[in-house]
């Protein structure tokens, strides 16, 4: 990793730990709809975690920094540069207090959908990355990853965290799954996408990702 980027990342993480006090509670993740995770990520893949190793990264000043390297077997690439059609490794900080991702399930087990960011040719993930078992995704979410989420990347999904809440632009959709229960993985996350209307590309609305095939998108009220 580039030394300047690494120093900046660690400095920001240190400030977060300092401000919040308890390092074990330093990583706080904002809610993110699967479509937002897809659109804001550089790489989105499906694959299996197969091995884990530790690597030391030297920076220009101070002690070397430890990172965890997850080896994966990629089975499908949904989004990524042309030269990265077979991602083999995912990199994350070794410390959970720096939002490092810890894979708690067994290796060489089930497939996961993984959304990450690029730093050069490295795919970076954190505890806040969208990493979900493939088998637990709904048919609508699987369709979104395969085709429809990409159509809505000019739209913006706005989480409603407290009432009252509203949107201030025609390209925004209000995400209300977590208002009452704080469980964000609900109807809008599981079955809908925020997409431009066919009759007005500048207006984004929630649309149902029907599993009936192409052309079966339905607008919701």
């Amino acid at each position: 990793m580039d030394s300047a980027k690494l120093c900046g990342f660690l400095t920001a993480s240190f400030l977060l730990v300092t401000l919040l006090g308890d390092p074990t509670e330093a990583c706080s993740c904002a809610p993110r709809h699967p479509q937002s995770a897809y659109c804001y990520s550089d790489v989105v893949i499906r694959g299996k975690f197969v091995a884990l190793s530790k690597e030391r990264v030297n920076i220009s000043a101070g002690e070397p920094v430890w990172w965890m390297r997850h080896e994966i077997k990629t089975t499908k690439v949904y989004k990524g540069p042309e030269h990265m059609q077979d991602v083999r490794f995912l990199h994350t900080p070794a410390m959970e207090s720096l939002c490092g991702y810890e894979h708690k399930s067994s290796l060489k087990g089930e497939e996961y959908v993984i959304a990450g960011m690029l730093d050069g040719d490295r795919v970076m993930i954190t505890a806040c990355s969208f990493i979900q078992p493939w088998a637990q995704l709904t048919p609508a979410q699987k369709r979104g990853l395969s085709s429809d989420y990409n159509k809505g990347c000019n739209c913006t999904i706005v989480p409603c965290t407290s009432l009252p809440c509203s949107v201030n632009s025609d390209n925004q959709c209000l995400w209300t799954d977590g208002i009452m229960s704080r469980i964000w993985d609900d109807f809008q996350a599981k079955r809908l996408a925020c997409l431009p209307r066919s009759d007005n590309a500048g207006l984004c609305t929630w649309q149902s990702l029907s599993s009936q095939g192409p052309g079966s998108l339905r607008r919701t009220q």
Side-chain angles (χ1 to χ4, degrees), residues 153-165:
C153 286
N154 288 328
C155 301
T156 301
I157 296 174
V158 180
C160 177
T161 56
S162 62
L163 295 174
C165 52

Side-chain angles (χ1 to χ4, degrees), residues 188-207:
Q188 288 173 312
K190 290 180 176 179
R191 303 189 181 280
L192 305 182
C194 179
L195 303 174
R197 286 182 52 156
S198 58
D199 58 347
N200 184 353
L203 178 62
C204 295
T205 59
W206 287 115
Q207 299 183 38

Side-chain angles (χ1 to χ4, degrees), residues 97-156:
S97 60
L98 296 181
C99 293
Y101 171 76
E102 180 183 0
H103 189 68
K104 297 181 179 180
S105 299
S106 62
L107 298 176
K108 301 181 181 179
E110 60 187 328
E111 287 186 309
Y112 282 76
V113 171
I114 304 161
M117 302 299 294
L118 284 177
D119 178 31
D121 285 334
R122 291 188 175 203
V123 180
M124 312 298 295
I125 58 172
T126 70
C128 295
S129 298
F130 184 83
I131 302 174
Q132 295 292 329
W134 172 253
Q136 293 182 17
L137 298 186
T138 65
Q141 290 172 327
K142 292 177 180 179
R143 170 175 171 161
L145 289 167
S146 297
S147 59
D148 292 318
Y149 288 158
N150 182 61
K151 301 173 185 175
C153 286
N154 288 328
C155 301
T156 301

Side-chain angles (χ1 to χ4, degrees), residues 26-98:
C27 188
S28 179
C29 305
R32 179 169 287 189
H33 190 279
Q35 177 181 326
S36 299
Y38 174 94
C39 291
Y40 295 149
S41 297
D42 296 321
V43 174
V44 182
I45 61 174
R46 187 168 87 234
K48 295 181 179 181
F49 289 84
V50 297
L52 178 65
S53 60
K54 205 171 187 179
E55 61 179 356
R56 188 172 67 174
V57 178
N58 293 314
I59 57 177
S60 57
E63 295 295 323
V65 177
W66 288 99
W67 288 74
M68 303 306 296
R69 187 176 74 170
H70 295 272
E71 183 178 350
I72 60 169
K73 181 179 180 181
T74 299
T75 55
K76 175 74 174 179
V77 177
Y78 297 102
K79 181 181 181 182
E82 288 293 330
H83 68 282
M84 296 191 70
Q85 297 303 301
D86 185 21
V87 177
R88 292 188 57 204
F89 299 105
L90 306 172
H91 303 266
T92 192
M95 296 174 60
E96 287 188 58
S97 60
L98 296 181

